[in-house]
Amino acid sequence: WLPKEKIVRVVAPAEGRSADAQADEGLLHDLTLEMGDELDVSRTLENIGGSKEAYVGILKVFLQNLPNRLPLLGAYLDASDWEAFRIEAHAMKSACANIGTRRLSLSARSLEMAAQERRDDYIREHYPSFIDEMRQFARKLETVLAIGRVSTAAKPSRASEADLREL
């Protein structure tokens, strides 16, 4: 953590920006318009030091990793492995927070806490809506970013097979 008075931002002049930087700026404008309050672009940019290129990269990595991560939650749910479920929910919470989707981060946190407390009834009730919300968010984000998904290498669990088909 740095005090605000110690933070120095360096901004290149507009004419010196690369085409990629200009494209990233346009993309971030589109993200702000299309994602609305689902994605806090300005706050996340501030948290990562203002690099639009880095933020777009983080969003793409999030989308590329998601099809590999969602099946893990389903597999751990199928196995009633609450500690592994907790760890994966924690990772999802952090990933969502890192890209600026507070709502999904809080949902993942609720699942994480329920797993820590071994409240499988809560998990089984809220897991399906969390997966649905993640799918909807990912579809919308993919549309704005216009990138293709990476197919999963791992065999999905019973609970997550449908999750991946729907993603």
Side-chain angles (χ1 to χ4, degrees):
W1 182 84
L2 290 174
K4 285 187 178 187
E5 64 272 4
K6 298 288 184 179
I7 298 172
V8 177
R9 298 197 191 267
V10 178
V11 178
E15 67 224 24
R17 293 185 311 170
S18 70
D20 285 344
Q22 291 174 0
D24 287 345
E25 189 166 314
L27 180 59
L28 292 177
H29 176 74
D30 292 347
L31 280 169
T32 302
L33 289 176
E34 295 296 324
M35 301 302 288
D37 61 357
E38 290 181 79
L39 195 63
D40 191 341
V41 174
S42 60
R43 183 177 192 152
T44 306
L45 272 172
E46 185 178 311
N47 289 342
I48 64 168
S51 173
K52 294 172 175 113
E53 183 179 338
Y55 185 48
V56 170
I58 291 167
L59 291 171
K60 289 179 179 179
V61 168
F62 175 85
L63 285 175
Q64 289 170 347
N65 289 332
L66 194 59
N68 294 326
R69 304 309 296 232
L70 289 180
L72 294 175
L73 277 176
Y76 300 141
L77 176 63
D78 288 348
S80 297
D81 185 343
W82 305 123
E83 181 59 16
F85 187 95
R86 183 196 65 77
I87 291 167
E88 192 57 36
H90 175 84
M92 294 296 291
K93 172 190 74 174
S94 298
C96 290
N98 286 339
I99 66 166
T101 178
R102 180 171 165 76
R103 182 179 55 81
L104 290 173
S105 180
L106 291 174
S107 294
R109 182 182 190 279
S110 294
L111 290 172
E112 174 191 8
M113 293 296 103
Q116 182 174 326
E117 297 164 5
R118 305 301 192 253
R119 293 177 35 227
D120 61 315
D121 56 330
Y122 179 92
I123 293 169
R124 291 183 192 287
E125 179 182 341
H126 291 90
Y127 169 81
S129 61
F130 174 72
I131 294 300
D132 286 344
E133 290 172 12
M134 288 294 289
R135 273 193 240 127
Q136 291 172 11
F137 175 82
R139 276 192 215 109
K140 194 171 182 181
L141 184 58
E142 273 185 332
T143 299
V144 177
L145 292 178
I147 67 167
R149 290 192 311 271
V150 175
S151 63
T152 63
K155 182 181 183 314
S157 73
R158 287 176 288 143
S160 62
E161 246 175 83
D163 301 340
L164 287 178
R165 282 194 301 272
E166 295 297 320
L167 216 160

